[in-house]
Amino acid sequence: MTHPSVVSVQNLSVRLPRGADRPFAVEDVSLDVRRGEILCVVGESGSGKSVLSAAIMGALPRGLTFGGGSVRFGDRDLTKLRARDLRSIRGNEIAMVFQDPIASLNPAIPVGRQVEEVFEIHTDLKPEERRARALALLESTHLPEPARIHGAYPHQISGGQCQRVVIAMALALEPKLLIADEPTTALDVTTQAQILRLFNELRGGDQHGILFITHDFGVVREVADRVAVMRHGRLVEIGPAADVLDRPSHDYTRTLIASVPSLNPPARSTDLSAPPALKADDLVAFYGPVKALKDVSVSIPKGATLAVVGESGSGKSTLARTIIRLHEPDSGTIAVGGVDYTALKGRDLQARRRLVQMIFQNPFGSLNPRRTVGEVLMRAGVLGGADAATARRRALELLDLVRLPREAFDRRPDAFSGGQRQRISIARALAMNPEIVIADESVSALDVSVQAQVLTLLDDLQKTTGMTMLFITHDLRVAAQIADHIAVMKRGEVVEFGLARDVLRRPKHPYTRELVAAAPGQMRSDADAAAE
Amino acid sequence: MLSAISKKTAEVLGAMLVVSFIVFLVLEANVEDVAVKVLGAYSAPDQRAAWLAENGYNDPFLVRYVRWLWDFVTLDWGQSTLFRVPVTDVLPQRLAATGVLAGATLALMVPIALVLGIVAGMREGSATDRSVSFFSVLTTSIPEFATAVFLSAIFVFWLGWLPGASTMISGFSITELILPVSVLTLYSAGYLARITRASMVEAMRSPYVRTALMKGASTSRIVLHHALRNALIAPVTVVMLQIPWLLSGVIVVEVFFAYKGFGTLLYEAALNSDVFLIEACAMVSVVVVVATQLISDILYRLLNPRLRVAVKPAGATA
Amino acid sequence: MTAIETRRTGLRVPAALKSPTILLGAVLVGVWVFAALFAPWIAPYDPLQSRAPLQLPMSRGPDGSLYLLGTDLLGRDILSRLIWGARAVVLWAGLATATAFAVGLAMGLVAGFYKGWVDKVLSFIANVILSFPVLVLYILVIVTFGASGLNIVLAVTFASAPGIFRIVRALTIDIAAQDYVAAAIVQGESPLRIMAVEILPNAAGPLIVDACLRLGYTTITIGVLGFLGLGLPPPTPDWGSMVNDGRPMAIAFPHMVIFPCIAISMMTLGLSLVADGIRELGLRHGRA
């Protein structure tokens, strides 16, 4: 705590353009980043955390303007510097790491040259020195074969490797301040764990301070020395990590932390001896030339929830799309309530489609922007076999059921937030009285507090309607909260299957063990386990 | 990448084969008609019958097609009834004349359009951007013959600076080339400028440009090193695809200025029902289109680093 | 539960009228649509009647009648011919564009939705047609089948349907990848209804823009064919043909060619401006 601050934000406000939903993106925020520490700024979408980081870089998005306060960096105020002076600081004294590592690198230039460019801009180093320094930097971020990576284009290396390159680039001139804006959000959990480890290593040096922007309290727990919580552009609270995370002084922080799903599965009372509502055997499916499913078999007792967990490319989404017949399997069978679902064709299939319904991932792409909520729900009811009057009545009931006001009936999707749209999608799926509901990453695009609400809603609906659920997710913590059984997938195969608490507490397969270990926010689950 | 190119080539050759069949079907399915067109409306019926028999027109249609195709491939393109010489005697020099016109147009149009597009796209929404957009809408909306009339009215009729026709009777003349080239440039530059602008705007908004900005790169470095490399891929391939489009404009402009090129040749052949000349012109223009499509495809692959390697990302088909 | 926002988006007529680009374009086009609709009442003279040859603009003929835009070689009033010519242009360009759109739309939706071999076949046909330079294609069709309004419709449909097909196909593939289409499939909705209710309305923005541009191209095409002497058969007053007729004497009497050129340029520029304005509005609303 004795370290001096590298940057000091004082009463900073950033004005939003006229017509926005509030006057300020960032309002009266004051905080310091100190040498040798990682300060995490946490908040949900719209909290202003990313605008804050852009403001510190002096690079406000178009339309936003400084509305008062200052950003003191050494003896300069970054909000008042001219473009030329800002340029000499950027990449040199302050550097930045971004959310989408692959897109952040120029696709037409080998990554090594992009690292060297920092020296080209800010120093007089000779080409061979630049190259040597770049190779050393790539090495220091633990990239394998630095020489090969140096000459590779961004699309030729993985997302995690790209992020290491971006970090190497940021560290090139030993900046005093490193700003990382959601640097692990686009990465798989196991890769995220590695990058977080790298950040923890970086802190050791003492030469710089790190401002780490994230929405994930699990990530905060892994890296933060101090934590600042933001909401609606304002700073809610700031303090040492241990205080904010375990003894939050503010209600909002408390709610947020309580919303973070824990790796510990709650006790569940589902009857797992019921006959299977869904039984898929030896499914094989190709996605392009890739064999995405290799003899996958799953079965879910009626009224139970199976969570399929895996990283990107594991085949979990292909499994969902194959079961619902959006993707044709090459072999294998799917039985839904005793009907051979794979054998159905043409109009027979259309007529039986209602048995299996889906809640999609992207709340902004899963509702036709041109149709009102009422039209969507009524059409689903009619296709499910109801007449128009019944479908209308049922649509209104469903709105109650998913806890949306009845006025929603006449509105189009653009009037709703992401969480509300997911509720509409859930209502649409239920309007058909399905036997099975498949949720494909249905809560992963939502903020934690909304995520928690939707998960609770799904759990309640399952209890009241007795539906069977297949829940696809990349997040073990979410799976822990909702599933009776968990199946872990890797490269098109189910590597582990079992009761949720067995898989999470006593994982058998090494990959499952790796996944469980990589799930961010472990310290808390340890504490919870001790408390139990 | 090689397999992708050979696949494209096969596709393109297949399309050409079908096109040649359509050309043959339209122009030579009715043999009586061919005889009338070749021998003239006042030829005697038995004279036509004899000519048809002599030239193998009594054979089945498909046989005639295959023979015709073979003749075309071996550059035996028949006799022009209009010029009374083999088609191969008139066509090459006319094609060369058009090549000069098109070459001059491209040499002028491409740099102008690229510069306009880049300058406009660098600062989206600026006054420059708006002016360039308006200029391109204006010039691409006005048909070539109208532009030709307007330019002629100013520079020929009113100011008297330039000749109104480009017959090149007394040898090659630069002044006679100015108006046709200007008309074609005006008409085509707007489109290319728009494509370049859109591509540039996209690049300037991209995360990698933001990365460069956050590295402290100057505006000129960002534009030259980062944005242009990616932004020029689309326009360069579009230039190739514009050549066939230019060919349509060339016909109008050549006719307007009486320029003795490929366009006027096709036009005269069409007006005079010169069957073999029409066929040859149609096939040559198809070869030009298909060749530009192929080159454009190859250029795109060469310029795009993501396609340069053999590995295709999963799910990316076609 | 947070309140539902009341913000609405979408292209509405009042919003379109606030765009100066659209307004200017609409005026340029509107003048000639008005002329086409009310030609018999607003044209000063009979467009086919020979009155006094080669009168200059704003001059009075021997009988004292005023010729605002002058007369042509045969003594026909140019203004009246332009007004009646607007009818031919609006009618045939509209009809030809509409047919081309109907064909391209149907083919594009089917190819983009079903993909597979249907798409391969349709795309190949489109590529074959697009291997012809457009004007060569027109000349071939008109020379073979003769010059008439219907043959122009035929030629335009044949030549521009593939371009429309490509756009519709690309849009369809894009929209069909959206989850709301997957949701409709999963509900057992019929393919026809999915194309009509889920896909088409969401492609409407870019398609309206394209339709405006196509209408402009078709107007240019009809003008060019007229200019080449392959347009609507005489004595139909057709703008392109007027340029062609006036060309031999253009050096001495430029008014005979300039006014038809201005008319056609107004029309095509107007359509481009409308298209541009709509596209801009669409972009601002995050669509199109």
Side-chain angles (χ1 to χ4, degrees):
Chain A
M1 290 303 134
T2 53
H3 289 302
S5 63
V6 287
V7 71
S8 168
V9 176
Q10 286 158 4
N11 308 102
L12 183 72
S13 292
V14 174
R15 206 181 292 280
L16 280 165
R18 204 183 291 271
D21 59 341
R22 60 176 202 243
F24 292 99
V26 170
E27 194 173 354
D28 200 23
V29 168
S30 300
L31 51 79
D32 283 16
V33 183
R34 297 167 190 155
R35 194 167 285 187
E37 74 162 358
I38 296 181
L39 170 65
C40 275
V41 176
V42 214
E44 298 190 293
S45 48
S47 62
K49 58 190 191 301
S50 282
V51 174
L52 177 69
S53 72
I56 294 174
M57 289 299 270
L60 287 182
R62 190 183 282 217
L64 273 61
T65 46
F66 283 112
S70 64
V71 178
R72 314 249 16 132
F73 181 72
D75 53 356
R76 289 157 293 190
D77 179 355
L78 296 180
T79 62
K80 298 203 168 57
L81 281 190
R82 286 175 307 154
R84 166 189 282 278
D85 299 322
L86 271 175
R87 275 212 300 275
S88 69
I89 293 177
R90 287 179 188 156
N92 186 7
E93 294 176 74
I94 304 180
M96 198 155 180
V97 176
F98 308 93
Q99 174 166 352
D100 184 348
I102 300 178
S104 298
L105 290 169
N106 193 324
I109 305 176
V111 297
R113 300 255 319 123
Q114 300 190 49
V115 177
E116 288 179 30
E117 197 187 7
V118 181
F119 300 114
E120 230 173 289
I121 295 170
H122 295 286
T123 70
D124 305 323
L125 290 181
K126 292 191 185 64
E128 55 272 28
E129 289 173 308
R130 292 203 296 253
R131 186 181 157 83
R133 292 277 293 270
L135 284 171
L137 280 164
L138 294 177
E139 176 112 50
S140 74
T141 52
H142 311 301
L143 277 164
E145 304 174 66
R148 183 182 65 86
I149 300 267
H150 185 280
Y153 287 93
H155 66 274
Q156 292 170 320
I157 59 180
S158 71
Q161 290 174 329
C162 277
Q163 196 58 300
R164 286 173 195 274
V165 170
V166 175
I167 293 171
M169 197 157 80
L171 295 175
L173 292 168
E174 295 168 3
K176 295 193 188 73
L177 176 64
L178 186 63
I179 300 178
D181 188 358
E182 301 266 10
T184 59
T185 308
L187 305 173
D188 273 330
V189 234
T190 47
T191 319
Q192 163 168 293
Q194 293 160 7
I195 297 287
L196 291 179
R197 219 170 294 142
L198 179 60
F199 268 99
N200 272 324
E201 262 175 53
L202 292 178
R203 170 183 25 216
D206 243 30
Q207 307 96 345
H208 51 236
I210 299 176
L211 181 70
F212 193 110
I213 313 277
T214 181
H215 68 282
D216 188 336
F217 270 96
V219 169
V220 175
R221 239 172 232 289
E222 302 285 328
V223 296
D225 294 301
R226 287 193 307 137
V227 180
V229 181
M230 282 185 75
R231 184 194 196 189
H232 300 330
R234 290 177 157 275
L235 195 62
V236 173
E237 70 175 294
I238 183 166
D243 290 353
V244 176
L245 294 175
D246 297 328
R247 292 174 293 282
S249 58
H250 200 282
D251 278 346
Y252 177 67
T253 317
R254 224 166 284 142
T255 325
L256 270 190
I257 292 175
S259 304
V260 179
S262 132
L263 255 187
N264 280 313
R268 294 178 65 89
S269 56
T270 322
D271 173 18
L272 296 177
S273 60
L278 172 81
K279 197 168 180 320
D281 286 307
D282 306 317
L283 285 180
V284 174
F286 283 83
Y287 190 85
V290 183
K291 196 172 184 181
L293 297 181
K294 301 168 185 162
D295 291 311
V296 172
S297 302
V298 289
S299 136
I300 315 173
K302 194 166 170 45
T305 299
L306 166 70
V308 176
V309 184
E311 295 187 299
S312 52
S314 63
K316 59 186 192 305
S317 277
T318 309
L319 176 66
R321 296 177 76 86
T322 306
I323 288 176
I324 205 162
R325 294 285 303 273
L326 278 170
H327 191 93
E328 290 301 308
D330 286 75
S331 66
T333 55
I334 303 160
V336 176
V339 179
D340 184 355
Y341 206 62
T342 23
L344 296 174
K345 285 200 168 58
R347 287 190 188 280
D348 282 344
L349 175 63
Q350 268 179 37
R352 299 283 190 120
R353 284 270 195 195
R354 95 170 167 80
L355 293 175
V356 190
Q357 287 300 301
M358 194 158 188
I359 307 160
F360 295 88
Q361 169 171 10
N362 176 2
F364 293 89
S366 57
L367 293 168
N368 185 340
R370 302 274 170 160
R371 308 188 75 198
T372 64
V373 171
E375 283 169 356
V376 168
L377 295 183
M378 276 179 64
R379 182 67 193 163
V382 169
L383 285 167
D387 59 73
T390 320
R392 187 184 174 80
R393 204 175 50 243
R394 174 100 176 107
L396 289 166
E397 285 168 17
L398 281 166
L399 286 177
D400 297 342
L401 201 60
V402 298
R403 292 161 212 163
L404 281 174
R406 288 196 164 197
E407 295 87 79
F409 193 86
D410 294 316
R411 302 288 173 86
R412 281 180 222 287
D414 59 10
F416 300 94
S417 67
Q420 290 171 326
R421 288 181 195 217
Q422 278 319 55
R423 288 168 193 274
I424 299 168
S425 287
I426 293 170
R428 172 177 61 189
L430 295 180
M432 303 204 80
N433 289 316
E435 298 284 317
I436 295 153
V437 171
I438 300 180
D440 185 5
E441 297 275 15
S442 304
V443 297
S444 45
L446 306 175
D447 279 327
V448 259
S449 57
V450 184
Q451 183 179 25
Q453 289 165 15
V454 173
L455 282 175
T456 314
L457 174 67
L458 282 173
D459 218 25
D460 292 351
L461 287 173
Q462 186 172 35
K463 284 192 190 99
T464 50
T465 64
M467 66 182 182
T468 309
M469 201 158 46
L470 176 64
F471 201 98
I472 309 286
T473 181
H474 69 282
D475 192 337
L476 263 182
R477 299 173 294 176
V478 168
Q481 294 312 302
I482 192 132
D484 298 301
H485 288 123
I486 290 180
V488 178
M489 283 190 74
K490 187 189 185 188
R491 297 212 187 105
E493 283 173 290
V494 174
V495 294
E496 179 152 5
F497 171 83
L499 285 173
R501 59 169 183 278
D502 293 344
V503 172
L504 292 163
R505 296 208 181 127
R506 286 175 295 279
K508 289 197 271 303
H509 194 276
Y511 179 67
T512 315
R513 251 175 259 147
E514 196 186 338
L515 271 188
V516 171
Q522 294 293 310
M523 296 169 208
R524 168 184 150 109
S525 49
D526 291 350
D528 285 354
E532 264 177 32
Chain B
M1 166 158 173
L2 270 179
S3 76
I5 290 175
S6 46
K7 202 179 144 210
K8 179 81 188 168
T9 313
E11 204 182 297
V12 148
L13 287 178
M16 258 193 76
L17 209 61
V18 177
V19 168
S20 72
F21 187 76
I22 294 172
V23 168
F24 189 73
L25 187 73
V26 167
L27 291 167
E28 294 208 24
N30 184 344
V31 290
E32 272 303 312
D33 212 34
V34 178
V36 172
K37 280 174 181 165
V38 172
L39 300 176
Y42 301 109
S43 49
D46 50 336
Q47 192 188 350
R48 289 178 208 160
W51 183 84
L52 287 175
E54 190 185 325
N55 289 285
Y57 275 87
N58 295 337
D59 294 340
F61 181 75
L62 282 179
V63 174
R64 287 199 289 128
Y65 167 68
V66 172
R67 189 162 55 215
W68 174 84
L69 193 65
W70 177 249
D71 286 347
F72 183 79
V73 174
T74 53
L75 299 182
D76 179 4
W77 295 354
Q79 193 86 7
S80 159
T81 52
L82 177 62
F83 296 96
R84 302 192 179 284
V85 290
V87 169
T88 38
D89 283 1
V90 269
L91 222 155
Q93 72 201 53
R94 294 295 199 101
L95 211 50
T98 295
V100 171
L101 186 59
T105 304
L106 286 176
L108 192 64
M109 180 271 275
V110 173
I112 292 178
L114 289 185
V115 168
L116 285 180
I118 291 166
V119 170
M122 260 169 64
R123 290 191 215 289
E124 194 189 348
S126 64
T128 328
D129 183 20
R130 282 168 188 283
S131 336
V132 169
S133 291
F134 184 75
F135 166 80
S136 56
V137 171
L138 186 72
T139 52
T140 44
S141 304
I142 299 177
E144 298 100 330
F145 69 84
T147 316
V149 163
F150 296 143
L151 290 187
S152 300
I154 297 170
F155 294 104
V156 182
F157 180 75
W158 186 40
L159 297 173
W161 290 353
L162 293 168
S166 312
T167 49
M168 311 250 169
I169 289 172
S170 42
F172 183 77
S173 147
I174 286 280
T175 48
E176 291 187 15
L177 209 54
I178 294 177
L179 277 180
V181 168
S182 311
V183 171
L184 286 172
T185 303
L186 276 179
Y187 190 60
S188 48
Y191 180 69
L192 186 60
R194 272 187 100 109
I195 298 282
T196 313
R197 176 198 173 270
S199 195
M200 192 68 192
V201 164
E202 197 195 323
M204 291 302 284
R205 281 185 192 163
S206 67
Y208 60 78
V209 160
R210 193 172 64 136
T211 308
L213 199 66
M214 291 304 137
K215 273 189 206 172
S218 61
T219 310
S220 65
R221 172 178 277 274
I222 286 173
V223 171
L224 296 175
H225 281 235
H226 291 276
L228 272 189
R229 260 176 220 235
N230 296 290
L232 282 184
I233 297 173
V236 167
T237 49
V238 163
V239 169
M240 293 312 298
L241 295 179
Q242 256 192 316
I243 291 175
W245 198 40
L246 209 57
L247 204 62
S248 291
V250 159
I251 299 176
V252 174
V253 168
E254 285 186 0
V255 170
F256 189 95
F257 292 104
Y259 184 83
K260 292 248 172 272
F262 177 76
T264 37
L265 186 68
L266 172 63
Y267 180 60
E268 287 162 7
L271 287 188
N272 294 291
S273 302
D274 190 340
V275 186
F276 302 127
L277 191 53
I278 298 178
E279 283 172 0
C281 288
M283 289 304 287
V284 165
S285 50
V286 172
V287 170
V288 171
V289 174
V290 159
T292 51
Q293 281 176 352
L294 200 59
I295 296 174
S296 161
D297 194 61
I298 294 172
L299 272 179
Y300 184 73
R301 280 165 202 284
L302 280 179
L303 290 172
N304 196 331
R306 265 169 287 198
L307 294 176
R308 210 154 31 193
V309 274
V311 199
K312 259 189 173 181
T317 44
Chain C
M1 194 63 20
T2 49
I4 304 166
E5 292 167 45
T6 47
R7 183 177 56 96
R8 297 229 173 144
T9 54
L11 203 69
R12 281 167 304 154
V13 176
L17 288 184
K18 268 185 223 150
S19 150
T21 321
I22 295 183
L23 220 54
L24 177 61
V27 168
L28 290 175
V29 177
V31 168
W32 292 110
V33 172
F34 180 83
L37 286 175
F38 301 103
W41 295 280
I42 52 174
Y45 308 108
D46 178 348
L48 305 180
Q49 188 195 11
S50 181
R51 302 177 61 89
L54 298 175
Q55 295 294 316
L56 293 177
M58 301 302 291
S59 67
R60 287 190 182 276
D63 58 350
S65 27
L66 177 69
Y67 300 107
L68 274 176
L69 303 182
T71 61
D72 68 5
L73 208 56
L74 299 178
R76 298 172 295 193
D77 178 48
I78 288 181
L79 179 60
S80 305
R81 286 182 71 71
L82 286 182
I83 291 171
W84 281 89
R87 268 201 168 186
V89 169
V90 169
L91 173 70
W92 294 114
L95 203 61
T97 312
T99 12
F101 240 86
V103 174
L105 203 62
M107 284 171 50
L109 277 172
V110 168
F113 184 71
Y114 286 105
K115 307 205 186 114
W117 66 268
V118 185
D119 178 28
K120 287 216 170 82
V121 170
L122 290 177
S123 292
F124 183 75
I125 295 175
N127 284 344
V128 166
I129 299 175
L130 288 172
S131 302
F132 276 108
V134 192
L135 197 50
V136 175
L137 193 63
Y138 286 135
I139 291 177
L140 269 187
V141 172
I142 299 295
V143 164
T144 314
F145 299 105
S148 75
L150 276 178
N151 283 348
I152 288 179
V153 171
L154 186 87
V156 168
T157 306
F158 193 66
S160 26
I164 299 166
F165 161 81
R166 278 194 177 176
I167 291 174
V168 176
R169 174 182 173 274
L171 283 168
T172 306
I173 288 178
D174 244 31
I175 297 170
Q178 296 285 328
D179 283 342
Y180 58 81
V181 173
I185 295 173
V186 162
Q187 286 177 340
E189 193 74 89
S190 71
L192 203 64
R193 209 184 136 98
I194 292 178
M195 286 188 245
V197 176
E198 309 287 345
I199 297 178
L200 197 53
N202 287 296
L207 289 184
I208 290 171
V209 172
D210 191 59
C212 288
L213 291 174
R214 297 265 165 207
L215 201 55
Y217 297 152
T218 313
T219 308
I220 293 184
T221 301
I222 293 177
V224 165
L225 288 176
F227 164 77
L228 292 177
L230 303 169
L232 299 168
T236 319
D238 146 34
W239 296 345
S241 309
M242 288 171 74
V243 179
N244 188 34
D245 296 344
R247 225 149 52 86
M249 306 280 285
I251 291 298
F253 299 98
H255 71 271
M256 288 193 305
V257 293
I258 285 185
F259 291 118
C261 283
I262 291 178
I264 198 166
S265 303
M266 277 173 73
M267 189 83 175
T268 51
L269 178 61
L271 286 166
S272 297
L273 289 175
V274 170
D276 225 42
I278 296 177
R279 178 164 36 208
E280 240 169 63
L281 275 185
L283 285 181
R284 225 176 294 153
H285 287 287
R287 291 229 189 95

